[in-house]
Amino acid sequence: MNAADLGLPVDVPSTALFTDQYELTMLQAALRAGTADRRSVFEVFTRRLPSGRRYGVVAGTGRVLDAVENFRFDADLIAFLREQDIVDEPTLEWLTSYRFSGDIWGYPEGEVYFPGSPILRVEGSFAECVLLETVILSILNHDSAIAAAASRMAASAGSRPLIEMGARRTHELSAVASARAAYVGGFTSTSDLAAGFRYGIPTVGTSAHAFTLLHDSERDAFQAQVDSLGSGTTLLVDTYDVAEAVRTAVEVAGPELGAVRIDSGDLLLVAHRVRDQLDELGATRTKIVVTSDLDEYAIASLAAAPVDAYGVGTQLVTGSGHPTCSMVYKLVARAQSADPKAPLVPVAKKSMGAKSSRGGRKWAARRPDEYGAAEAEVIGTGPVPPELVDRQLQVELVKGGEVVAREPLDAARERHTRVRGALPMSAVQLSRGEPVIPTEYL
């Protein structure tokens, strides 16, 4: 069974209340005013990248599609809205038959984005589009933040695999979403079984310090684990004395010991000492896994260390200091009337601060330089220049309310690796800097 294809809801039959109250009160007012049926275009974008980031990563698109499909107001939800006097009866009646019937276009999952990129475009009546704002932003802001952190960590790790281990550091549902986003960003496995079940992500895990402390000696603990899981298991060697633990681990499991894990101390120094010790003991193929509050900077600092894999938890599931992408969902065009043939009029918020936006339904393309590397993110509202027609970034995700672009998670992961590789080399530098390519408007 491929759980990724099940289209499972988040954890309840409906995602309709994963929203803010003002979405429903706007709906009520629009229904009364006769403007609810006006054809509208909403876009998701961010005005800036988090400080120091050179690119963003689109993640959560597949979860957005699931959320839109499961956005339904069943009898219990209608009863709750009525009891709380959230909206009036005509609005409740309208909600009972709610089904999104519009179109959604967007950057495919795993793609990168920059300030102003129209990451998602939602088209339909104002009423049906406005209700989706909160749940779409909730998913994209969270998942894209995790994927961006994961991408930076993957770039720092190079060819060494990364294990997502953050379930105990965040909300239980966020943990599953984080594991999914981390996989898109370049992680190879997760410790979270719910993520493995729901999305088919490879799962790993052996033992914690508690297992060693349970036994009368470290040798007894290692023996019990090897007896259960085989000599190819990973033994945790920093509960007491690392050097003694490594010696005991090889004595118990033999030179075919799969790996040792180091979870504390000066990882650079300890990794070198453990590698030398393993080699002296004949365990030349035993791998070294390091954990302990790693982030992209710590991973980069271990590039020259004899480390074979990294396990990352807290910093990953909190976006490595940037837990959101500050994406917004703005109305950029709307019809002059409810007539389906009424032309669209660009609309935009004007602000004296940094919250202004650009009106009009937008297309986006990425222009390459003469060497094939990305040179600029080009965004426009008029005709697409002929040289950019085949470089457009948005794909059709939902047509007439039906999902048309659901894909395996591995496709998004592979796309991200490919797209990140097409950015200028400075994209993966950890030093602070501006977006690696500029955004140009036509």
Side-chain angles (χ1 to χ4, degrees):
M1 177 183 66
N2 184 355
D5 295 332
L6 296 180
L8 295 174
V10 177
D11 75 326
V12 292
S14 171
T15 55
L17 292 191
F18 291 165
T19 191
D20 293 304
Q21 181 168 314
Y22 79 170
E23 313 292 6
L24 299 189
T25 54
M26 281 193 288
L27 169 64
Q28 175 178 302
L31 288 170
R32 287 189 178 186
T35 53
D37 289 333
R38 286 189 177 185
R39 190 160 54 102
S40 299
V41 180
F42 286 83
E43 288 178 349
V44 174
F45 62 93
T46 185
R47 297 182 176 93
R48 66 191 66 84
L49 297 179
S51 178
R53 297 288 171 89
R54 305 295 181 90
Y55 61 92
V57 181
V58 178
T61 308
R63 297 208 307 122
V64 166
L65 299 179
D66 291 343
V68 171
E69 282 190 331
N70 289 287
F71 204 93
R72 305 282 187 269
F73 291 86
D74 58 28
D76 289 340
L77 301 191
I78 294 296
F80 165 76
L81 296 175
R82 179 177 289 114
E83 291 166 3
Q84 299 299 313
D85 195 26
I86 304 297
V87 290
D88 60 19
E89 285 300 322
T91 305
L92 292 176
E93 182 178 353
W94 188 92
L95 290 173
T96 57
S97 59
Y98 177 85
R99 299 289 186 276
F100 180 72
S101 63
D103 302 327
I104 299 178
W105 289 70
Y107 283 35
E109 192 156 19
E111 181 60 84
V112 298
Y113 69 87
F114 299 92
S117 295
I119 296 163
L120 202 73
R121 188 174 75 228
V122 182
E123 302 188 32
S125 71
F126 175 84
E128 63 181 344
C129 293
V130 75
L131 293 183
L132 299 176
E133 175 182 4
T134 303
V135 70
I136 285 176
L137 288 179
S138 176
I139 293 171
L140 291 180
N141 267 314
H142 173 270
D143 290 23
S144 296
I146 306 305
S151 178
R152 284 161 60 87
M153 294 174 187
S156 295
S159 61
R160 297 170 178 176
L162 290 158
I163 308 164
E164 186 281 313
M165 303 171 64
R168 64 191 62 196
R169 297 292 187 255
T170 188
H171 185 280
E172 65 272 17
L173 296 181
S174 296
V176 180
S178 294
R180 183 186 183 281
Y183 191 69
V184 170
F187 275 57
T188 54
S189 58
T190 179
S191 65
D192 191 285
L193 290 178
F197 168 74
R198 184 166 299 208
Y199 298 117
I201 302 170
T203 60
V204 296
T206 52
S207 68
H209 292 101
F211 186 76
T212 300
L213 296 170
L214 168 69
H215 292 80
D216 295 334
S217 70
E218 196 166 46
R219 180 178 294 273
D220 289 345
F222 289 172
Q223 190 65 62
Q225 184 173 326
V226 170
D227 289 346
S228 175
L229 301 177
S231 61
T233 190
T234 299
L235 295 175
L236 181 59
V237 295
D238 72 326
T239 305
Y240 305 116
D241 179 85
V242 173
E244 182 61 31
V246 171
R247 185 179 302 108
T248 302
V250 176
E251 289 176 357
V252 170
E256 299 305 313
L257 172 63
V260 295
R261 178 163 74 95
I262 307 167
D263 189 50
S264 59
D266 183 336
L267 297 179
L268 179 61
L269 175 63
V270 175
H272 277 286
R273 288 177 176 175
V274 168
R275 181 73 271 158
D276 289 343
Q277 186 179 10
L278 287 170
D279 292 346
E280 290 172 1
L281 294 171
T284 56
R285 291 187 292 178
T286 298
K287 298 183 182 301
I288 297 175
V289 180
V290 295
T291 52
S292 185
D293 292 328
L294 298 176
D295 61 10
E296 60 266 48
Y297 299 98
I299 292 170
S301 73
L302 293 168
V307 171
D308 298 287
Y310 306 93
V312 189
T314 302
Q315 293 302 317
L316 175 66
V317 299
T318 57
S320 196
H322 297 289
T324 182
C325 301
S326 298
M327 293 179 186
V328 294
Y329 182 97
K330 297 298 181 183
L331 181 66
V332 297
R334 52 90 175 166
Q336 293 178 317
S337 70
D339 184 343
K341 297 182 180 179
L344 288 173
V345 178
V347 295
K349 175 182 177 179
K350 293 184 178 180
S351 173
M352 295 181 65
K355 288 191 172 184
S356 61
S357 57
R358 295 173 180 266
R361 180 203 276 128
K362 301 172 191 67
W363 53 263
R366 191 162 299 139
R367 188 177 68 235
D369 63 17
E370 58 183 310
Y371 302 104
E375 181 179 67
E377 192 87 339
V378 185
I379 299 170
T381 56
V384 182
E387 68 273 16
L388 294 178
V389 169
D390 294 333
R391 299 283 180 177
Q392 292 184 82
L393 297 165
Q394 295 157 313
V395 298
E396 193 171 31
L397 301 171
V398 176
K399 182 176 183 179
E402 298 295 324
V403 174
V404 296
R406 188 170 274 115
E407 63 181 2
L409 195 58
D410 279 329
R413 186 171 186 272
E414 292 165 4
R415 177 181 296 115
H416 178 64
T417 300
R418 182 176 66 254
V419 169
R420 188 181 65 198
L423 295 176
M425 293 181 64
S426 58
V428 297
Q429 291 179 349
L430 297 182
S431 57
R432 292 188 177 277
E434 298 299 315
V436 70
I437 60 174
T439 300
E440 299 179 1
Y441 292 93
L442 296 183

